[in-house]
Amino acid sequence: MKNNIFKLLILSIIVLMNSCKLDYLPESAMSEDVYYKNTKEIGSGIIACYNGLMDVVKEEWRFSELRSDNAHLESTSSSDANNEELRRLDHMTATAQDKFINDFCWVPAYKVIARCNTLLAVIDNVSDPDTKAKYKSELLFIRSMMYFNLTRLFGDVWLVTEPITGEDALKLTKSSVDVIYAKIIEDLEIAASPAGKLPYPTFTTTSGVTKQPTAEIGRATIYAAKALLAKVYLTRKNYASAKANLMPIVQDYGTAGLIAYNLVFATSNEMNKEIIFAVRFKAGGLGIGSPFVNYFAARNSSATIVVGNGMGYNTPTEGITEKLGNVTTWSYTSGGTPIDPISTVRNLTDKRNAVSVSFFNNKVWWTAKYWESPTAVLILNDAETDWPVIRYADVLLMYAEVLNDGTDNDQSSARTYVNAIRTRAGLPNLDVAATSSKATMHTAILDERRLELAFENQRFYDMLREGSQYVVSTLNTQFANENFYKSYTQGRAPQPMTAANLLLPIPLNMTKLY
Amino acid sequence: MKNKKLIKVVTILLSTMLLFNLNLFAQNIGVSGTVTAENGDPLTGVSVVVKGTSNGVVTDLIGNYSLKNVPTNGTLVFTYIGFVSREVAINSQKTINIVLKEDVLLLDELVVVGYGVQKKSHLTGSIAKVNTSGMGDVPVSRLDQALQGKVAGLNVQNTSSEAGVAPTIRIRGMGSISASTSPLIVVDGYPISGGLEMVNSSDVESIEILKDAASAAIYGSRAASGVILITTKSGAADKPSYNIKFSTGIKQTYKRVDRYSTQEYTDLRRSQKVAYDAYMASIASSSKLNINNDLAAYSVGEKFGFRDWQSLGLQTATISNIQANVSDGNEKYKYYLSGNYDFDEGIMINSQYNKFNMRAKIDAKLSKYIEVGISLTPQYTKRQRPSNSSGGWYNNLIRTGDWMPVYHTPESIAFITGQKPTFAKKAGDYAMGADFSGLNYTLLDGTVVTNATPWNTSDNSPINIADKTTFIEENYSLNTNSYVNINFTKDLTFRTSNGFYMAYMGQDYFIKSDGLKPGDLANGTYRNDLLIDLLSENTLTYNKNLGKHSFNLLAGFTSNLTKHRTAAIAGTFGNDYVSTFNAATAITQKDANGNILTQTFSESIAMVSYLARINYSYADKYLLSASWRADGSSKFGPNNRYGYFPSVSVGWRITEEGFMKNIIWIDRLKLRGSYGVTGNNNIANYAAYNTLSLVNYPLGTGTGTVTPGFINTNPTLGNRSLTWEQTNEINAGLDFSFFDGRLNGTVDYYNSETKALLLQQDIPSITGSLNYWNNIGKVRNQGIEIEVDTYNIRKKDFTWQTAFNIAANRNKLLSLGGTQTFNLQLGERNEGYAAIVGQPAIQYYQFKVLGIYKTQADAVASGISGAAGGSLQVWDNGDKILDQNDRVVSGSPFPDFTWGITNNFKYKSFDLSFLIQGSQGGKIMNGDINYVETRRYVKKYNYASAWLCDGVQGDGVTPVSSGGINWMWTDYVLEDASYAALREVTFGFTLKSKYAKKIGMKSLRAYISGQNLFFLTAKGLRLVNPEARTKPTNAYNSPLVDGYSRGGFPLQRTISFGLNVSL
């Protein structure tokens, strides 16, 4: 009896000890350890990288358009903490503590970079060499776009090109602007080359090339890579290389590539020929809708402009509304201080005027470029509108700039391309005499870019390309002269800025970690 | 056939019972007698043994015993737990009646320790045995609430007055930062998460608190925050007994938020207007104080009546409890069965807690070698919660002016439609603030105000919200544990204990259409949660006495698997009548913030442990105990799964030394010292891994087709080298007993350092993530605990006993991985908290209020942006910019010391006991101020003395409620959380057993008991409950944030009547 018990006991303990294991991987979530093992799985990771771009462009206007001479904060009086931060961005006095810079710019960009790095580290698990090259090109394209934005906004930043741990990150130091650009160019040259295996857009007229399957529309094409690379080169004033990358697109599409201006942004016409690359959004309560309609609609417009009210963000400045062809009358206090706009006279000759801006309630201008009819938006911040990153019009104007500013020094050809843009807008051709010199032509292109690409987050970078002195004088003139800025009270009015204010401060979280 | 079998069974049962009885009463040769206590009550179950033999019996129900074959020159030994043993020489007597004295020293009292029991006199660690007598009389529905103030170093805080909500329990301060700091709760050797809720007060045999690391180390990784051991009653051999306990009582709010009536408020506003307008006229300003909206509100009240919204939303609640148990047994089988029903209403309407549970314990001795047993504890609880946002709802109640009608009447409808013909409500509908907006009002005194808005809110009234909300949580749980003991020899025992704990929770939340706001769709959430915990514990013990050496050895192996499954579904409904999801019109997958509402989720966690312990004593004088445990957990990365937790403790029983024998006033003196290591793995599961989430992107023609993608979107990066958090603690203690047990006590000093803290550490965002779990930093808790018990009076008819305890803990952050100051602005108002190395781990970090700007000119002259007349003036370092550099440490939520004092009086059949308990020092951040003081009608704290304009400055220190710096960022909202409370009072009457017997009972006791009868708080406290802590948003999940209180329910005072009957 006693012996039997003893045997049973020993047996059961042995069974027990063997049945205990400690390897329990997550059950309700895939662990990174088990995924990204084949082409399909890595492919799904790349979709997630595109998804990451949404968070970046949703809020990009805060750091680019708002800080340019195209947009300002809607209200001078609000002391709401969010508006205070937006005001600091508008006035070029943002601080390192400001949450928007961290939460809406820095973190989303580095999240996308980390996603790309995770996948680049396992890209060899893609078996087919062409698919592998294509996937790699897409990842390099997306990552380069992030670094291009970061270095233009912050200057020196941390260059991370592989997955890193928290400890690794603490040891890393910032890289110079030159090093960042060298890496961007190196990566984009791979993506934009034939060996990068990116497909041609479905609209290409070039024969004998691989076209993008219609199911993949929205992913990077070779033209997207070339156009982005051209913009990088243009920013670095390397006109020859910029031209080399722009020329194939211009030759392929010609000036006929332009469609009616109002149709470029229509949700019924998404991914039209003019969209070289866009970050796409989709309405319908899927969590991937765009917020721009609600963001930019006039504040307190309730459902008259869009369901769920407008935030009044990215309000057009008097400068841009005037350039587009509007004359606005303001009311003044007895002492002559401006109070509010009260009426406007609109000249809609420039077809871009009606598309780009609108005047609500005889009171306030708002950005209408991404507007859909109130009935089209059913849920707050869940509209269909895509965000254009590079348009063909941008390519044409860049090409004009390259021809004018580069060794070609060819104002006549440059004028042809600018005129194509103006014709589409319903405007007469450029006056030849007034644009016969390199400098005057350059200014004409810059002005055209401001109107054509207004509220597309291009203006601030265009201003930066003109040099810091240009930005400082343009913004200070605006601060001093525009009624809106003059209507500030209680010490909130903008102070003259200097070149030191051009870069955004690196978020405090990066410099004060424990 | 069936009948025959039944008859057979009954016959066997009956004859067994007969035999059993014959056994007791039929033997009347030899010695017999009665054993009684000092007060004359017979003692049942006293062991009577002929010394040096195995010839013995136990006394029966009326204290009688009889023994045969007793040698006339022998000695009888009478032993009974809790009484001093006696030896009586027989000397040929045939009848020996004796009286046993109660053992006040309880020298041989057994104390439950991890995986075993030990004599109290031989303990070397810091283990507190809770005095459980009278615990069942306290009118609370949870056992943990009854532990408040009973043990030094055990801090029980009722952070919510909601019915059935678990209090926060801390042993010896806050050891960990990010990981959980709740103690491990072990019921009958079985660690369970539902721990204290599953135990009924009358089932409790004993409660032990393992405070120092050396005592807790045998529980290894889960013991870093201490261990609470609960032992439940078992059947006792030859002691059939039935106990019934019943109590019922009422609960009321102790104190409500003090507020203006609309009448008082309107009068105040009128007088303010007079002063304001007069001043403005004096400086030739045309500005006038606009009080039209206030007058309009008053007018609504004049027309349609006034009512107190706090009275509408609060109720006098009842609390009832009935418990019954029966136990019996013989040498071979013992059983204990109990049932319990609790009904506990909350003081908020729609708030209720019901608990029903049973406990069955069966022990059987199968042979000389084998003992088996099983215990089963099924439980059902149902909790109805007052509303979704438990904090916000009470705030809404106190914010609503007494002019606001609950329902529309024909008169109010006529009044509104007279001016707003399109108004769609009808008499009987709920009224809301917005209904009265933009109307013209004529007051009874003839004042006319036009286009006035008494209360501009789009929210429904709190009563409307409460009536439309159903929030029910049901829990079904079952704890099962079985054991087999194999006694190989007298000294060597193997025990295997296997069991499972299963808990299923179902939660229904439903709010009818137009619930929170007009136009809201009916919506609901259903959640369920299934927890299955399997545990196997196997130990081998060996006891040996070799002369003066005595050993006790333990070795064991345990394995634990926890499976957790949850499901949730959220959606909107087309009607208000069916709240199950077959009737839902749409399912909500995510809320506006992207939080997943509809999902199922599962996880598994495993742990494997090996343990060993040796207890050694030499001549009962020198004591040594050493233990070791190794724990492996699936929570950590493959490289760092195992943690090792050793401990050693020593004791010296000074009174056993020869030189002490002559000092008669010292009964007992023992010095203890211990060192131990415990761990903590109580963090989010799978922190070692990166997990992937589904994210989509539209691709293709038209508006695109949703294309799925997978990536790690978690802001928390996986850390493969994550490992155990470790606490090293030194404990030194002294146990004493003087003057024949009149003065007893314990003093403990401890110093515990927790290192490799499991901290959710921020990392540079260039990793793509924001933080990761890492082992970093170091916290120290140092403290002194004193417990003193005195028998002030010990007479036959009257005793007076006092128990006092006090504990002081000092928390200090020793390291935070490099950074010296970690500054947090978190919470619903971005309030300030700081963790600073060298200081307590949690502190408030706020702007220091200097006063108010007495005039607008002062405010402008300050040069500080946003400063306004009447707003708070705070300290600034001189740069005129209020930023991080101007914040200062303004206090910590940790109390300086906590204390409790219990007095027990017994006079003949009457007894009286009361517990006063308190907490001293420690600050609390009053989140109500932002919601209460800035709202009309509830400004009674200081509104009458608030600044109004340059010419009407009030008392010169009370700010206006708008403009200037946010109050929540300043120490204006910091309060002293100290309090002293008359926690419990019980007055009882116990019928003498001789009378009880006459009415067929073994004992009968009736009592009246009260809880929270009197509460003394710090002067000027603006909160209604200094113990309340709320975490209204996720931001408060940060481990470095504590002490925020908003919308805390008022304290409740309970008075109940109870009856205990034993048969």
Side-chain angles (χ1 to χ4, degrees), chain A residues 175-188:
Chain A
S175 296
S176 71
V177 173
D178 289 342
V179 171
I180 305 279
Y181 272 116
K183 183 65 185 165
I184 293 172
I185 289 168
E186 179 195 326
D187 288 349
L188 282 178

Side-chain angles (χ1 to χ4, degrees), chain B residues 79 123 201 242 338 379 454 623 690 729 798 918 935 987 1007 1033:
Chain B
T79 50
L123 283 181
S201 52
Y242 310 87
S338 80
Q379 173 170 287
L623 314 167
N690 280 332
E729 182 173 330
F798 184 57
R935 295 299 187 278
F987 178 67
Y1007 62 89
T1033 66

